[in-house]
């Protein structure tokens, strides 16, 4: 019986994509939260309602939720429209040859993996924020 939705297997781990899903949003959340905390300026009562750790977890939740939505929309666009070339350079003349569609989906994390990882971290940050409040 043929599978309607075959699950691809990962043949390699792409370090750049894994870093962009797992660590870069955390670094962005820490940078944003520390900047807001250092200036002491909050436009909402978010900073006053939570502790410093709660404030950081709220920023991390926001960053990882944005990453999850970006990867989810990328997966939808890839499956419905064929997607875009997956090169690292934005300059079309200096860009390396884009990897094929099959090769893109054989690497870990692909768009679905990225959305799942970022969604799981979002859930963990939300649960941790609820526990410390």
């Amino acid at each position: 019986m043929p599978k309607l939705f075959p699950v691809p297997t990962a043949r390699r781990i792409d370090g750049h994509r894994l870093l962009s899903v797992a660590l870069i949003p955390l670094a962005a959340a820490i940078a944003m939260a520390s900047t807001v905390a250092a200036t002491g300026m909050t436009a909402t009562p978010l900073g006053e309602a939570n502790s410093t750790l709660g404030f950081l977890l709220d920023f991390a939740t926001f960053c990882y939720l944005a990453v999850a939505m970006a990867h989810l929309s990328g997966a939808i666009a890839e499956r419905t429209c064929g997607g875009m070339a997956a090169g690292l350079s934005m300059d079309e003349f200096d860009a390396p040859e884009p990897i094929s569609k099959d090769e893109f989906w054989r690497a870990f994390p692909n768009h679905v993996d990225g959305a799942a990882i970022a969604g799981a971290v979002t859930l963990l940050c939300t649960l941790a924020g609820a526990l410390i409040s």
Side-chain angles (χ1 to χ4, degrees), residues 29-132:
I30 291 170
M32 287 190 301
S34 62
T35 301
V36 170
T39 60
M41 307 236 180
T42 57
T44 65
L46 179 69
E48 291 83 23
N50 291 330
S51 64
T52 305
L53 183 59
F55 188 63
L56 176 64
L57 285 171
D58 286 341
F59 266 102
T61 300
F62 173 74
C63 288
Y64 280 105
L65 187 60
V67 169
M69 291 300 103
H71 279 284
L72 187 60
S73 63
I76 292 169
E78 179 71 33
R79 291 294 182 179
T80 59
C81 303
M84 296 176 57
L88 294 176
S89 175
M90 299 304 272
D91 185 14
E92 65 185 64
F93 299 112
D94 294 334
E97 187 68 27
I99 60 175
S100 69
K101 182 177 176 181
D102 290 333
E103 185 63 26
F104 178 79
W105 284 100
R106 298 275 187 231
F108 176 82
N110 58 38
H111 284 306
V112 176
D113 297 330
I117 291 168
V121 175
T122 300
L123 181 63
L124 290 175
C125 289
T126 302
L127 291 174
L131 288 176
I132 64 167

